[in-house]
Amino acid sequence: MKIHLQREIEQLKKNVFHVSSLVEQSLKLALRAVHESDSVLATQVRERDREIDALEVNVEEECLKILALHQPVAVDLRFVIAVLKMNNDLERIGDLAVNIASGRHCMGGESMPPAFTETMHAMGDKAQAMLRGALESLIAMDTAKARQVLAADDAVDSHYRELCEMLRGEMTRRPGEAQKMICWLLVAKNLERVADQATNIAEDTIYTVEGTIIRHGRG
Amino acid sequence: MQRRSLLWTFFPPVLAVLVLSLVLVTGFAGQAVRAFLVRDTGANLEHAARLTVSTFAVALAAGDEAQVQETCRRYHAMTGMRFTVILADGRVAGDSLEDPGRMDNHADRPEFAAALAGQAGHGRRYSTTLDHQRLYCAVAAAGGDGTPFVVRTSVSESSLAEVMRGALGRIALAGLVLALLAGVTAYLLSRRLRNALARLQAGAEAFARGDLGQRTREADSAEIAALADAMNRMADQLGRRIETIDAQRRELEAVMSSMIEGVIAVDLDETVISMNEVAARLLGQMPPRAVGRSIQEAARDPDLTAMVQQALSSGATVERDVRLGDRAEICVQATATDLRDGEGALIGALLVLNDVTRLRRLEIMRRDFVANVSHELRTPITSIKGFVETLLDHPPADPAETRRFMGIISRQADRLDAIISDLLALSRLEKDTESGGIERVELPVRPLLERLLRDLAARDADGAARLSLDCGGEVRAACNAALLEQAVGNLVDNALKYSQPGSPVVITCTTGPETVSIAVNDRGPGIAAEHLPRVFERFYRVDKARSRTMGGTGLGLAIVKHIAQAHRGHVTAASEVGKGSTFTINLPREVSA
């Protein structure tokens, strides 16, 4: 029975890693789609999202099966619960990546000041690094890394605020380009959401390892 | 199960054999002794009877039965035998132990009957008179009156039994001593064997620990010595084999780690068995951390995972281009094949990652180059063709208009000429570089740059005014003056062209231990980081709309790069958006370098 449970959990782990790698790649593709205004990449992101959705259902069913059949306790139970939750988060990030990829039209027309692209790049890199850190902390069950991810969220938030400020200024200067500014704002907002979801995953990792819930400033 | 010790394996059977043989020996010996005793006693009894018969005959002849009785008692006291004198009619005339008067008629006694028949009558039976088992011997003789009488002698069997008990007691004592001896022998034997086995065991355990240099010495018995010998040979063989395997593994590791391709091997459970350094670098992983983890965990790339799964399930080779890295900047040609053992059974999958980033970039560059060169050549030709056709089909009435058209045609032809001569210059440079380099002389750099400034001043006085030169007279470099002038000229042209009118452009020379750097710095808009690595590509334009109107051929920086390379130097670009750019040509100081 115990061996069965271990095998199921190993399989679950593999599937979660697969989903997470898909999500990570999806975000990567989405950011490239934005910066290179590439519609082929955007299509790929949508395809990936469908795959992620299918796998999400798969992972959830597996979790429920483990809970019903094996009634795990302690760290196994926490792992299954954490997977159930981060499964949701990962699927959300997949959706956000699709949203980001649809912002590929942002780059057309008259070019934006370089400071904008730079900030957007920095923000994309940070959000990606956070997602990667969260997934790595999940793989290695490394709470120190998970806490680094939590700390990095502030940097993304400040980038987001900075970009909002810049976009507002640009909008008043060039009202004709408002459509484009909104597009930029949406991409930035979605990136900021990705970072938030990454912190959720990191929190779930800490929950799995330590058994303490550190959401909502309890940490 | 509790196993018996060697001692307890040996002792009981040895003891059993001993006890069995003792019992048998005792049985046979007892019987023989008994038979001997009975015969011997019988003979004694007969001798005693024959010896005494004459005495009794005399007494009987005298008719003195009291004398007979007295003699019987006396003889009993002397020999311990019982003497009985029986008359022919069976009446007892004398007895050593009983009063003859009270004794019944002995005519029915078998020994009496045998004696009367003329033999010595031996018998062994229960004495009703004395109530115990006795041995008898009766001898007949003729009395004084011619009637026969019988002298009977007897002894109790209990005296025989005593002798027997004594003998058996000694045998039993000997048996006990033998059993003790057997125990000691079994103990000694087992201890000796046990010690030999313990030494062998210690040797085997040393082998198990990996200490194959250990040798078991055993000279006890041929069999054990042979076993020890076999074990030593086994250790030798094992040691050699392990060494071979070790060497092979090290070789394999060396091959794997010095391979250009990344190699990952996974087993049937999709767990990574081995990963070389290149693969780890491509995947942003640490090899020791990846081994033993699932491929999903180690590669963290859905495409690679899918490929491995496909190779495992179908047993076919899967090939695909995969992008890796944080910004998908690494282009990898991945091949997943099934991994089979010597018998052809599937044991996993092998993933080979070939980094083709540079190759793909070059391919893109060449594709772009062909597209660009066609485009660049086409623009002036379209223009020329248009105006020529207009002039041919609808000659304008106004000669001034004709002149204007001709002017445009001439300018476009100049542009074509400029592009083609730049392309030719490039191909010549490439050829020179390939065929062993250009002609270079060590000369001071400053006069060369001053000449450049003078030439510029003749063409563009404003531009020359913005230019400042920061170059010591002692700076010398190994260069081809004409080419270097062209390279620096191109950089200066660009700097002037792309920065605001009136903003300064500085040429700086610095000399290092082996190289000389000539840097051209402007305060223009700068170049974004993503464009910086590509500005030296042919026809690469940072801002596609703007630069063509500036009249460049798109080959200026490519020529600079090739000139630097022809000098065995290199060129770098540094820029900060909004602050300006610096292009630096680095050249060796000496021709030999």
Side-chain angles (χ1 to χ4, degrees):
Chain A
M1 205 57 183
K2 190 80 185 153
I3 293 169
H4 266 291
L5 174 62
Q6 282 312 319
R7 201 177 303 151
E8 300 260 0
I9 283 185
E10 277 308 309
Q11 188 57 43
L12 185 61
K13 253 186 199 169
K14 274 191 200 171
N15 287 353
V16 173
F17 291 144
H18 189 60
V19 176
S20 65
S21 63
L22 271 172
V23 168
E24 201 182 339
Q25 200 190 38
S26 187
L27 182 62
K28 227 188 279 181
L29 285 173
L31 286 170
R32 270 179 66 205
V34 171
H35 288 300
E36 295 170 22
S37 302
D38 191 331
S39 62
V40 178
L41 289 174
T43 320
Q44 280 180 16
V45 173
R46 271 198 299 283
E47 277 166 13
R48 286 269 184 246
D49 188 48
R50 271 197 287 280
E51 216 174 315
I52 293 168
D53 289 351
L55 278 169
E56 187 225 355
V57 176
N58 217 343
V59 167
E60 191 171 319
E61 278 173 355
E62 259 183 80
C63 287
L64 294 178
K65 196 173 89 186
I66 290 176
L67 287 177
L69 284 181
H70 301 284
Q71 287 146 15
V73 290
V75 69
D76 291 339
L77 176 66
R78 290 203 300 274
F79 178 73
V80 175
I81 299 283
V83 166
L84 262 177
K85 289 160 83 183
M86 60 181 79
N87 190 32
N88 259 335
D89 294 335
L90 286 171
E91 193 273 337
R92 274 300 294 152
I93 298 178
D95 292 346
L96 293 171
V98 173
N99 291 349
I100 292 171
S102 66
R104 68 182 188 281
H105 307 294
C106 299
M107 293 294 173
E110 205 171 320
S111 60
M112 297 287 273
F116 279 55
T117 8
E118 290 289 312
T119 313
M120 185 69 101
H121 260 306
M123 198 172 159
D125 287 351
K126 286 232 169 65
Q128 264 200 82
M130 277 178 71
L131 176 59
R132 201 167 45 248
L135 297 177
E136 268 167 11
S137 76
L138 163 69
I139 286 171
M141 288 290 157
D142 180 351
T143 53
K145 194 158 222 160
R147 284 179 209 283
Q148 281 172 17
V149 171
L150 299 187
D153 191 37
D154 291 346
V156 174
D157 285 350
S158 78
H159 272 308
Y160 174 61
R161 277 194 299 276
E162 194 183 319
L163 201 63
C164 279
E165 210 46 51
M166 278 155 60
L167 283 168
R168 211 174 52 192
E170 195 70 12
M171 234 186 276
T172 41
R173 219 173 319 129
R174 295 193 290 175
E177 296 272 318
Q179 185 69 38
K180 199 167 149 185
M181 304 299 158
I182 289 170
C183 178
W184 271 74
L185 192 63
L186 285 178
V187 169
K189 181 72 203 161
N190 281 316
L191 269 177
E192 194 263 340
R193 292 293 306 149
V194 167
D196 288 349
Q197 301 283 3
T199 61
N200 282 354
I201 294 175
E203 281 163 359
D204 287 340
T205 302
I206 294 176
Y207 168 68
T208 308
V209 178
E210 297 178 354
T212 48
I213 295 175
I214 60 155
R215 279 197 305 275
H216 318 305
R218 291 192 202 193
Chain B
M1 194 185 90
Q2 180 76 41
R3 290 182 186 281
R4 279 182 306 174
S5 77
L6 214 50
L7 176 63
W8 285 109
T9 330
F10 277 128
F11 186 56
V14 169
L15 192 65
V17 167
L18 267 173
V19 166
L20 193 68
S21 53
L22 262 180
V23 165
L24 285 176
V25 164
T26 316
F28 286 126
Q31 245 165 15
V33 168
R34 191 183 192 82
F36 169 74
L37 275 178
V38 167
R39 218 171 42 243
D40 190 47
T41 314
N44 284 347
L45 287 175
E46 196 184 329
H47 294 155
R50 286 192 195 287
L51 279 175
T52 54
V53 89
S54 56
T55 322
F56 287 117
V58 172
L60 277 178
D64 187 358
E65 291 200 8
Q67 175 68 33
V68 172
Q69 176 67 9
E70 179 52 39
T71 311
C72 284
R73 286 191 191 276
R74 201 157 30 92
Y75 284 165
H76 173 69
M78 281 159 62
T79 62
M81 289 175 189
R82 174 186 171 199
F83 287 79
T84 311
V85 178
I86 307 162
L87 300 180
D89 55 355
R91 194 177 61 86
V92 176
D95 190 86
S96 310
L97 300 176
E98 278 294 325
D99 179 10
R102 292 216 318 251
M103 288 169 74
D104 52 358
N105 193 300
H106 274 43
D108 58 342
R109 301 294 195 269
E111 69 275 3
F112 173 74
L116 280 187
Q119 301 158 351
H122 289 277
R124 182 169 170 248
R125 60 180 178 77
Y126 193 78
S127 158
T128 46
T129 321
L130 292 171
D131 264 359
H132 58 246
Q133 186 87 17
R134 297 188 74 87
L135 283 173
Y136 292 98
C137 181
V139 173
D145 51 355
T147 52
F149 74 94
V150 169
V151 174
R152 190 186 67 172
T153 52
S154 81
V155 287
S156 165
E157 267 208 344
S158 61
S159 63
L160 277 186
E162 241 168 64
V163 174
M164 287 285 295
R165 258 205 304 283
L168 284 180
R170 274 194 296 281
I171 292 177
L173 192 67
L176 200 67
V177 170
L178 277 177
L180 262 173
L181 267 175
V184 169
T185 313
Y187 173 72
L188 288 176
L189 263 178
S190 67
R191 198 181 62 173
R192 193 159 167 190
L193 205 55
R194 197 180 56 210
N195 288 346
L197 286 177
R199 282 193 294 275
L200 287 177
Q201 186 190 9
E205 267 164 13
F207 297 158
R209 271 197 310 275
D211 178 11
L212 292 171
Q214 183 96 9
R215 285 292 166 268
T216 315
R217 303 246 170 274
E218 202 56 64
D220 197 44
S221 62
E223 287 83 357
I224 289 178
L227 180 58
D229 211 36
M231 275 176 57
N232 289 342
R233 273 205 308 282
M234 180 188 82
D236 271 344
Q237 290 256 333
L238 265 179
R240 268 202 296 279
R241 236 167 251 179
I242 287 173
E243 247 169 54
T244 319
I245 290 171
D246 234 34
Q248 277 173 351
R249 192 176 53 81
R250 271 197 301 273
E251 264 171 40
L252 199 68
E253 249 168 35
V255 169
M256 285 267 279
S257 61
S258 55
M259 269 173 85
I260 303 165
E261 288 90 3
V263 179
I264 304 165
V266 299
D267 65 8
L268 289 173
D269 290 334
E270 298 168 16
T271 307
V272 175
I273 313 167
S274 73
M275 178 188 270
N276 71 355
E277 273 149 41
V278 178
R281 185 174 49 74
L282 287 174
L283 295 173
Q285 274 279 6
M286 296 281 173
R289 255 192 54 195
V291 169
R293 285 161 191 270
S294 64
I295 182 77
Q296 283 90 343
E297 212 176 324
R300 295 224 328 267
D301 184 275
D303 293 331
L304 293 180
T305 309
M307 284 175 74
V308 167
Q309 281 166 348
Q310 212 175 325
L312 280 176
S313 62
S314 69
T317 302
V318 193
E319 223 180 299
R320 197 185 297 170
D321 276 12
V322 175
R323 300 194 75 129
L324 300 171
D326 291 350
R327 280 193 188 176
E329 73 278 10
I330 305 173
C331 200
V332 163
Q333 192 182 41
T335 316
T337 48
D338 49 332
L339 205 58
R340 291 182 186 278
D341 63 7
E343 274 114 54
L346 188 69
I347 55 165
L350 191 73
L351 194 62
V352 179
L353 306 176
N354 198 354
D355 188 352
V356 289
T357 314
R358 255 177 65 86
L359 206 67
R360 291 280 181 274
R361 197 181 293 151
L362 285 176
E363 271 171 23
I364 291 170
M365 238 149 78
R366 183 175 340 164
R367 210 174 48 221
D368 285 358
F369 174 71
V370 173
N372 284 334
V373 84
S374 332
H375 183 77
E376 296 288 337
L377 292 176
R378 187 126 163 227
T379 321
I381 284 176
T382 316
S383 178
I384 291 169
K385 221 173 132 199
F387 283 109
V388 168
E389 275 165 10
T390 312
L391 284 176
L392 282 177
D393 296 348
H394 313 285
D398 188 355
E401 192 76 344
T402 312
R403 244 193 104 68
R404 193 173 72 82
F405 281 8
M406 293 299 222
I408 293 173
I409 291 169
S410 161
R411 269 205 304 285
Q412 294 297 348
D414 283 349
R415 193 172 149 69
L416 257 184
D417 182 54
I419 291 173
I420 289 168
S421 50
D422 273 0
L423 278 174
L424 282 175
L426 263 180
S427 77
R428 201 165 43 239
L429 272 170
E430 268 178 359
K431 206 160 72 193
D432 285 348
T433 316
E434 265 170 34
S435 65
I438 47 164
E439 207 174 290
R440 292 183 296 157
V441 206
E442 275 170 49
L443 46 83
V445 177
R446 191 178 168 89
L448 195 146
L449 296 175
E450 277 169 348
R451 193 160 61 239
L452 186 85
L453 269 174
R454 277 199 302 280
D455 289 351
L456 183 68
R459 280 188 287 129
D460 176 5
D462 287 346
R466 286 160 59 191
L467 214 57
S468 57
L469 187 58
D470 174 15
C471 189
E474 76 287 352
V475 180
R476 292 169 73 90
C479 62
N480 178 309
L483 286 178
L484 187 62
E485 212 178 306
Q486 189 185 0
V488 180
N490 282 357
L491 289 181
V492 169
D493 280 349
N494 277 351
L496 292 174
K497 210 153 54 184
Y498 288 105
S499 54
Q500 294 292 320
S503 73
V505 171
V506 186
I507 305 176
T508 321
C509 306
T510 43
T511 176
E514 277 162 20
T515 56
V516 171
S517 307
I518 304 165
V520 179
N521 170 261
D522 67 48
R523 308 270 166 87
I527 302 164
E530 71 223 60
H531 297 298
L532 218 44
R534 299 193 63 187
V535 289
F536 293 105
E537 288 173 24
R538 293 160 197 199
F539 298 118
Y540 188 83
R541 295 186 194 277
V542 174
D543 192 334
K544 294 185 169 65
R546 233 155 68 111
S547 54
R548 205 164 286 129
T549 58
M550 299 245 184
T553 60
L555 292 167
L557 285 177
I559 290 174
V560 173
K561 181 177 120 181
H562 275 88
I563 289 175
Q565 281 173 355
H567 281 83
R568 292 167 197 265
H570 63 275
V571 56
T572 56
S575 181
E576 201 174 334
V577 172
K579 300 257 174 75
S581 320
T582 307
F583 287 85
T584 312
I585 301 173
N586 300 287
L587 302 174
R589 285 174 62 175
E590 285 156 23
V591 176
S592 57

